[in-house]
Each structure stands twice: as C-alpha cells, then as structure tokens.
Amino acid sequence: MPGTTGEESRTDSCAIVVTHYPGLKDLLGLLNELNRETDFLVIDNGSPQADQYRASILTCNRCVGFLQLPENIGLAEALNKGLQEVRKRNYRFAFLFDQDSRPGDAFVNNMLAAFARAETLAEGRLAALGPRIINHRNQRQTPFKLFNRLLRRSDQPFHGASGLFQADFLITSGTLLPLACLEQTGDMKASYFIDNIDLEWCFRARMRGYELAGTSDAVLYHAIGEPSNNPLVRRGLMAQHKPARTYYSSRNRVHLYRQHYAPLGWKLRDIPRFFLKAVWLILTSTERRQYWRNISAGIRDSRNLDGDEAAPGRGGSDSAHRP
C-alpha cells in the first residue's frame, strides 16, 4: 500500500525531489509544502553535506524515503530511480520536482483535479500535466508552447476546456505523470544527464500518440538558469547557465535535432536561437573561453550519444559524457 502507515495515510501520488548541493532553506520549504498534501521521496545526487539535512527530511511524516547516492549520476537517471521506487510502491501518480521550486497553494490537489479533467478529454491518452510556471525573480509567466506551426503559438485551449492548455513541452519541475503511461512512453533518457531531458521525453511521448496538457489552476514558482544583470535574462527572455552546463545543453540539443520525433517547428525555431545564444556568450562573456570549449565539445560529443530514444519502462543505459 502506498503511503506511510495506516489507511488514513493512503495517497495516490508521490513526489520525487532530486537534490544536488541544495540550499537547505529552499529545500525544506518545498518539502514542508509537499508534506501537507502528498507523500514524497528525496534522492540526493552525491551532495557531500547530505548527512546534515537527512535527519530533518526524515522527520516529515509523509517522507517515504531518502536515497543518498554516492556520486552524481545525473538528473535523468536519478529521476528514473525515483520512478522505479514509486512504481514499486504502487502509486498511481508521480510529481517531479527540482530542489529550488516552490508550489503554490493547494498545488497537489489542484493538479490532480486538473489531470482528471484533462484525462477525460484526452480519452486516456494523457502522458503528463504541467502547472503554470511563474519566475519568482520577475513574476513572468511561462506560456504553454506548441511547436506544430512555424509561427509561435502558446496557451491554446486543451479540447476547448477552460484553464487547460495544449502543450508540446512541459518543464520537468512540477510535472504530474500517470505511472501507467511510462510503460509506453519510457523513462527519462539517462545519457542526457541534466539538460533537455524534459524536451526529449515530451517529444517522445507525443511521437507515441500521447497528449500533454498544462493548467493555470496550479502554480509553481520556479526560475530557470542563473541570476544575471543582463536585461534579456532579467526579463525572462533567455536563460543563462554556467559554462559547464552549456556542454550538456549544446550536446543534447544537437543530438535532439537529429531525432525523427523532434518536431520540425521546434527545430526551425531552436537552431537559430541556439546559434545566436552561443555567439552572444562567446563574444560578450568574461568566461568566453570556457563557453567556447564547452559548446564546441558538446557539439562534437553529440555524435557519441546513442540514436535511439529511451526504451519503454526504463531509462537509457549509456553513460553520460563529461566535459
């Protein structure tokens, strides 16, 4: 039976929170919010200080486990380990969370209610539901994007329903997955390690005939990338990461461009965007040499990744290449 102890603790959902050098205040804030509504599992990806906050996490009555990994195996594989664990415990749903996200009021209940509505409209072919993402740094809302047209299309109603939106892509954090669908869609692609995992999985789910939906009935406060004084970053028009992350984002994006299930509309928009952002980083950043090394190495190593999507029911098996 899922949950902690007793029939009164039974729940259909379990949240998976992956940590890596977390800010303790933000992490405990997230877990306290989850503890009010759902069971949760924490997977630490090789943080040396994990023992310092392990005891605090395990005092939460809805915590069903704390898996402390000896090294960083990557976000994708850590999520896969969490998904394997919640499936063993016979939950129906899994929520995926980054360590620094903050759910809005009644997040879990609102997401489950929205999923029930969307699943009926999708006639059981709904692979995932995402919340409305709000950047807590600038309060900018992230639209639910579609890539099936050359012109930008966002926030289109899902089967005409109020508060539900079509989506070709959902950000990992806050996403609700029905575990039964993973047998057909497959788990996260382990070889991607950290970046573009959500893009690849969403494109693969859509290729296999599933729908994705977003809802404005549940809000998640989440910022992508590092804080910056750059006006484009501050306005939320562009995300900026440290040079080491650009290795994975470059490698995985270029690899995904070659996959048949990646939408043509996304490729036509993303390729020039990737090129312009790379040029901007290399020309303007004080860390231009590090950016150049990591971007060029990522593009080169994209040829070494396997060409197949993750198999149904498990993550990819190949190891991650590091810069």
Side-chain angles (χ1 to χ4, degrees):
M1 179 181 75
T4 50
T5 58
E7 187 64 28
E8 69 279 5
S9 300
R10 186 179 180 92
T11 177
D12 281 340
S13 67
C14 184
I16 302 167
V17 182
V18 177
T19 61
H20 182 62
Y21 290 86
L24 189 56
K25 180 180 178 181
D26 288 339
L27 175 60
L28 293 180
L30 167 62
L31 298 183
N32 285 333
E33 289 293 329
L34 295 176
N35 197 56
R36 295 187 178 101
E37 293 193 273
T38 185
D39 294 350
F40 66 86
L41 169 70
V42 177
I43 300 178
D44 184 80
N45 235 340
S47 303
Q49 78 279 30
D51 284 331
Q52 299 175 16
Y53 51 83
R54 179 189 181 101
S56 298
I57 292 173
L58 291 176
T59 59
C60 295
N61 66 306
R62 304 295 291 272
C63 178
V64 298
F66 184 98
L67 178 59
Q68 191 171 343
L69 302 174
E71 62 180 356
N72 183 5
I73 63 173
L75 174 61
E77 185 61 13
L79 288 172
N80 288 340
K81 286 185 178 295
L83 290 168
Q84 291 165 12
E85 183 62 28
V86 296
R87 277 181 287 195
K88 278 194 245 178
R89 293 170 177 263
N90 295 319
Y91 290 98
R92 184 182 172 197
F93 297 104
F95 286 93
L96 309 182
F97 282 98
D98 289 350
Q99 62 194 24
D100 54 356
S101 298
R102 181 165 59 89
D105 294 338
F107 179 88
V108 171
N109 286 337
N110 289 341
M111 285 288 289
L112 291 172
F115 185 91
R117 285 202 299 140
E119 185 181 39
T120 299
L121 294 170
E123 298 181 347
R125 300 291 293 179
L126 186 66
L129 175 80
R132 175 69 72 185
I133 303 292
I134 297 179
N135 187 326
H136 60 81
R137 296 174 190 152
N138 55 26
Q139 299 305 304
R140 184 175 183 269
Q141 294 188 13
T142 300
F144 295 106
K145 298 177 182 178
L146 294 174
F147 302 121
N148 59 349
R149 298 289 187 276
L150 289 180
L151 297 178
R152 185 181 182 89
R153 297 186 69 204
S154 300
D155 285 348
Q156 298 296 307
F158 185 80
H159 294 276
S162 174
L164 294 173
F165 304 92
Q166 302 173 50
D168 285 331
F169 160 64
L170 298 170
I171 293 171
T172 300
S173 195
T175 292
L176 173 62
L177 303 178
L179 293 171
C181 286
L182 290 178
E183 294 303 319
Q184 286 74 46
T185 61
D187 288 348
M188 307 301 150
K189 190 171 181 64
S191 62
Y192 272 25
F193 198 73
I194 187 169
D195 275 300
N196 309 124
I197 299 163
D198 39 19
L199 270 172
E200 192 279 333
W201 185 89
C202 287
F203 293 166
R204 182 160 27 99
R206 296 285 287 130
M207 179 268 295
R208 288 180 172 154
Y210 283 88
E211 295 190 66
L212 305 172
T215 179
S216 57
D217 295 337
V219 169
L220 186 78
Y221 297 94
H222 178 76
I224 300 174
E226 306 287 334
S228 172
N229 290 325
N230 181 279
L232 295 178
V233 177
R234 291 178 64 182
R235 291 182 61 191
L237 300 176
M238 183 176 69
Q240 182 172 325
H241 293 286
K242 294 178 180 178
R245 281 286 297 271
T246 60
Y247 169 80
Y248 294 106
S249 62
S250 302
R251 183 196 64 170
N252 297 347
R253 255 182 158 77
V254 173
H255 179 265
L256 193 52
Y257 293 153
R258 295 197 296 266
Q259 305 312 306
H260 66 91
Y261 52 90
L264 177 60
W266 172 75
K267 295 177 186 179
L268 293 175
R269 281 198 291 260
D270 199 78
I271 290 173
R273 178 180 175 274
F274 169 63
F275 174 78
L276 291 173
K277 182 176 179 180
V279 170
W280 177 78
L281 288 170
I282 293 167
L283 292 180
T284 66
S285 174
T286 57
E287 301 175 285
R288 58 178 61 89
R289 289 185 180 178
Q290 294 94 317
Y291 278 117
W292 165 252
R293 274 200 308 265
N294 284 288
I295 291 172
S296 57
I299 293 173
R300 181 185 65 243
D301 290 351
S302 68
R303 297 189 297 269
N304 299 328
L305 287 176
D306 66 285
D308 298 325
E309 62 269 19
R314 61 176 178 84
S317 59
D318 49 345
S319 59
H321 298 272
R322 297 173 184 256

